[in-house]
Amino acid sequence: MIRFPTRRSFTSVAALIALLAVAGVCPGAARAQGDAKATIAVLPFEVSPTLVDEPLETDVLVDAFSRVLVNTRKFTVVDRSRLERVRREQKFGASGLVDPARRASVGRLLGAQYLVVGTVRDFSAGPPQEMAYGSGFTRPVRISVEVQVVDSSTGAIVAAKQASATAQSRSSSPSAARGVPRDALEKASQEVAQESLVAILNGAFPIKIVALEDDGVRLNRGDDGGLEVGAVLRCFATGKKLVDPDTKESLGSSERALGSVRVTEVQGKTTVARYVESGSSMKVGDACRLDEDAADEAGTHRAPPPPGPIHAY
């Protein structure tokens, strides 16, 4: 179980860098790979101070998110044991890792381009309930998390997602159903990790055009990228980077609208989309975003009833 002691500052940056070097993780190591997979670290989840009724093993969440990210084959995930070893050697608490003021430093020290930072907002386990026909007992476990993806080069939050899930645990007796069922906690953690995946992918790898078709484009998203047939995306060309002159905070980049495309086919690793508007100015490398307004309109559309009499069954 990860516990969250009082925040402490990094006391020996030089020693930490040396330790990471011995472990084979040097600042900037991920970027040295060029176009290789992005390196990402899942930091220990914080627990909202209002959650005091049930103990929570947050390692289960870290493991679930790490598995989901590894399975995308798009990320190199920093091993949790390495992170814990560094933490113990330097004697700083988990809360120090997720301190917004230190996130960029933590990412650079771990050689991670991106950090997944999460907070458990809700966690509860219902009372054991008897199942029908005396077949046993079940206990529901609910968990809700807020996840942020941080770019370690700037410390900026590039994506955020709230996700929740409920899973059931079965047992043969009420006494066995007491406590927090680990199998249900693992199932719920896996579900919230999977639900958060698209937001993480979009933060680290924006949707982009990888090829031009005769009447459309091909996008860098496959069947695990969260796109569905019929979805409309707005495409744009990015310009120069924008920086706040006072705070020096990165404000993203300027954009020039290019038109829209509609998804017609989702394949294993790419997605085919056809032009909704003229796409003559689109080119490989341009970015696209889901058009939420178009999605709302599509969701409220109702097809007219078929001609002829209406039968009730």
Side-chain angles (χ1 to χ4, degrees), residues 182-245:
R182 187 176 180 86
D183 61 335
L185 177 58
E186 289 176 345
K187 291 176 185 176
S189 297
Q190 189 72 18
E191 286 185 27
V192 296
Q194 195 66 48
E195 187 179 339
S196 305
L197 178 58
V198 172
I200 297 174
L201 282 172
N202 289 344
F205 302 103
I207 302 174
K208 290 187 177 182
I209 298 173
V210 295
L212 300 177
E213 308 279 333
D214 290 339
D215 56 351
V217 299
R218 191 173 291 268
L219 306 172
N220 63 339
R221 283 293 186 275
D223 52 18
D224 60 350
L227 294 180
E228 298 179 353
V229 173
V232 176
L233 299 95
R234 291 177 177 173
C235 300
F236 54 92
T238 56
K240 64 179 181 179
K241 293 184 178 180
L242 305 176
V243 178
D244 188 302

Side-chain angles (χ1 to χ4, degrees), residues 138-194:
T138 183
R139 191 178 190 198
V141 172
R142 173 181 170 78
I143 189 167
S144 178
V145 301
E146 180 179 334
V147 178
Q148 295 178 342
V149 182
V150 178
D151 184 336
S152 68
S153 65
T154 62
I157 298 171
V158 297
K161 175 70 175 179
Q162 289 186 336
S164 60
T166 300
Q168 299 283 345
S169 175
R170 297 182 60 177
S171 59
S172 58
S173 67
S175 59
R178 293 193 179 96
V180 179
R182 187 176 180 86
D183 61 335
L185 177 58
E186 289 176 345
K187 291 176 185 176
S189 297
Q190 189 72 18
E191 286 185 27
V192 296
Q194 195 66 48

Side-chain angles (χ1 to χ4, degrees), residues 106-118:
V106 169
R108 287 191 291 269
L109 290 170
L110 290 173
Q113 294 166 262
Y114 298 98
L115 304 174
V116 175
V117 182

Side-chain angles (χ1 to χ4, degrees), residues 66-121:
S66 297
R67 281 195 302 271
V68 166
L69 291 170
V70 168
N71 289 339
T72 65
R73 301 183 299 278
K74 294 181 180 294
F75 296 99
T76 297
V77 180
V78 175
D79 184 71
R80 179 166 61 86
S81 64
R82 178 188 298 161
L83 180 61
E84 290 297 309
R85 184 168 64 251
V86 169
R87 221 187 73 189
R88 288 195 303 270
E89 292 287 338
Q90 293 304 308
K91 297 182 174 61
F92 56 80
S95 57
L97 287 175
V98 297
D99 184 352
R102 296 175 180 159
R103 290 175 182 174
S105 298
V106 169
R108 287 191 291 269
L109 290 170
L110 290 173
Q113 294 166 262
Y114 298 98
L115 304 174
V116 175
V117 182
T119 301
V120 180
R121 296 299 184 190

